[in-house]
Amino acid sequence: MWLIFKKEFKELLRDKKTIIFMILLPLLLFPAIFGVGIFFMSNAAEKAENEILKYAIVGEAYAPDIVESFAEASEKFELVSVDGAFESESDYAKFIKNETLDFVLVIPDTFDADILASGQHKIGLYLNDAGLNKVYGRVAEIIDVYMDEFQLAAFTELGLNEAQQEALLKPISIEKQNVADDREVWGERIGGFLPYFIFILCLQGAMAPAADLGAGEKERGTLETLLISPMDRYKLVLGKFFTVSAAGIITALITVSSMAIWGIVLSQGMAIEFVVEVMSMIGIVDFVLIFLMLVPIVAVFAAILLSLSIYARSFKEAQSYMGSLIMVVIFPVLIAMMPGVELKGAWVWVPLTNVALAMKELFKGTMDYFALFGIFTSTAVIAIGLIMFCIHWFNKEKVLFR
């Protein structure tokens, strides 16, 4: 068995594609995700903020000051002449959807600075709010100036002091006191989606060697040579299983290490505020536990992948079967992200979902360490069952020589 493992593992290390999935991909994925994400988000926000918005105003005669303010901000807004083009509200949408205008501002004929006499004014803002355009916020910046002036004029007329003004604007104020510490807040936000990337990487790390050790052997014609050797078949399977598992465990180790190392680099070297805050809360023990929980998960992946590879007629067929496993991995992670699903009760024993929940709890600092027994037990039992099935599968001639 160990001779098979040694032989297969040496060949595994010579395969460039396997090295990419085992080492380079997990090592570079985390900085790529953060870097690309931050780059595109900042570029999109900057573009939306600096874009010159094309607009039209209906009822401009009722609020000449507001019209003048938009005209003065010519570096941000461009007035488009649409005289006589608006016959109904549906025309506003037509001009906005064909990108002639970014927004239409409709001022009511009751608009008056004396809000005590005229009451609340409702200015219509027609826009396409389906994307990151910041139209509402940029228009509100100008309108808010007049809103504050109107309020101040009304308060002065009523003779209200600052305390009375504040009480009138907000008679009841709810002061939110969050009993969760910063680690719980960040852990809930980040810990929920990290298992998604980690599980996929571990699966990808084991996928290439598994396809090669089963279907690849069939294509090369070397499987028959192994079968006529005096070694028991279960030892052949275990040797291949440990090879695939080793590839997945190496990927898991590199993934968790990459997450920790790049977290330190981003927090200390680049001083990104939220990364500094998160990394200051998470200890080395948490990363070790995350890695240890991935070991039986990798064993489950290895057994399933090797079974599929043994069943497949060719390397290509094996890859098509294995690709569908990604959805199987994603679904338990999505369950762990649902509201109300916690690492309690029956969820402790649900494979994959329990590990995803445990990772989130570790990041939050609220981990119930007694739950680790259920996590390791349930995952190990399933892994052993799948290994036994894989051995049974390998002993069927009709499967090996389909």
Side-chain angles (χ1 to χ4, degrees), residues 124-396:
L125 176 61
Y126 293 81
L127 74 160
N128 184 345
D129 205 23
L132 181 65
N133 48 41
K134 294 193 175 183
V135 172
Y136 181 87
R138 292 172 63 180
V139 171
E141 287 179 5
I142 292 179
I143 302 299
D144 285 348
V145 174
Y146 293 93
M147 183 179 68
D148 294 339
E149 289 181 0
F150 290 1
Q151 284 179 351
L152 182 59
F155 291 148
T156 302
E157 186 176 341
L158 292 172
L160 302 178
N161 58 38
E162 289 187 9
Q164 291 171 324
Q165 294 175 20
E166 186 176 351
L168 186 61
L169 289 172
K170 199 170 186 179
I172 299 176
S173 175
I174 299 175
E175 294 184 357
K176 184 174 70 174
Q177 302 293 335
N178 189 2
V179 297
D181 56 26
D182 291 339
R183 178 172 180 176
E184 285 187 62
V185 175
W186 283 113
E188 186 68 31
R189 294 174 183 174
I190 298 175
F193 69 84
L194 273 180
Y196 172 83
F197 297 106
I198 294 175
F199 285 3
I200 294 297
L201 284 172
C202 290
L203 182 65
Q204 290 282 2
M207 195 178 290
D212 185 67
L213 295 181
E217 293 266 21
K218 288 183 180 181
E219 285 192 342
R220 292 191 296 271
T222 55
L223 184 61
E224 292 83 352
T225 306
L226 283 175
L227 293 175
I228 62 174
S229 65
M231 189 176 296
D232 294 330
R233 286 200 180 182
Y234 80 90
K235 292 182 179 180
L236 291 174
V237 177
L238 289 178
K240 291 178 179 294
F241 166 77
F242 285 126
T243 304
V244 178
S245 297
I249 289 171
I250 291 172
T251 304
L253 178 61
I254 293 173
T255 300
V256 176
S257 301
S258 173
M259 185 169 60
I261 292 169
W262 282 107
I264 294 171
V265 170
L266 291 172
S267 63
Q268 295 186 1
M270 301 179 68
I272 298 177
E273 186 177 350
F274 84 92
V275 180
V276 173
E277 192 171 351
V278 172
M279 292 305 298
S280 64
M281 302 171 187
I282 303 172
I284 188 66
V285 175
D286 299 317
F287 285 109
V288 171
L289 284 174
I290 289 173
F291 168 71
L292 291 177
M293 285 190 294
L294 289 175
V295 173
I297 292 292
V298 167
V300 170
F301 290 164
I304 295 174
L305 291 170
L306 190 57
S307 297
L308 291 173
S309 182
I310 292 169
Y311 178 76
R313 292 187 180 91
S314 63
F315 190 89
K316 186 177 180 180
E317 184 180 338
Q319 286 184 316
S320 66
Y321 291 151
M322 294 174 182
S324 61
L325 279 180
I326 294 177
M327 289 304 301
V328 178
V329 172
I330 292 174
F331 185 67
V333 178
L334 293 178
I335 293 176
M337 295 171 67
M338 292 180 179
V341 179
E342 299 179 355
L343 193 63
K344 296 177 182 178
W347 290 114
V348 174
W349 302 90
V350 179
L352 296 182
T353 300
N354 54 8
V355 176
L357 288 170
M359 288 183 186
K360 183 165 67 173
E361 294 297 319
L362 285 170
F363 272 87
K364 290 170 63 178
T366 56
M367 180 67 186
D368 179 9
Y369 292 97
F370 289 104
L372 291 173
F373 173 78
I375 293 170
F376 281 106
T377 302
S378 62
T379 313
V381 167
I382 290 175
I384 292 171
L386 288 170
I387 294 168
M388 293 176 67
F389 171 77
C390 193
I391 293 172
H392 170 73
W393 206 232
F394 198 79
N395 280 297
K396 288 182 171 292

Side-chain angles (χ1 to χ4, degrees), residues 26-103:
L27 193 63
L28 299 177
L29 183 62
F30 281 102
I33 290 173
F34 281 108
V36 173
I38 292 172
F39 174 77
F40 281 107
M41 286 174 63
S42 60
N43 276 6
E46 184 179 355
K47 181 181 178 181
E49 190 66 40
N50 296 327
E51 183 181 1
I52 297 177
L53 300 178
K54 294 173 288 186
Y55 72 98
I57 298 180
V58 177
E60 62 268 22
Y62 306 125
D65 290 340
I66 292 179
V67 174
E68 182 62 26
S69 295
F70 277 100
E72 290 176 354
S74 58
E75 73 282 358
K76 296 182 179 180
F77 301 96
E78 178 187 347
L79 179 64
V80 177
S81 178
V82 288
D83 293 337
F86 294 149
E87 296 180 0
S88 64
E89 290 187 7
S90 61
D91 292 327
Y92 305 156
K94 182 177 69 175
F95 275 79
I96 292 170
K97 287 182 177 179
N98 65 23
E99 299 184 356
T100 302
L101 297 172
D102 289 304
F103 68 91

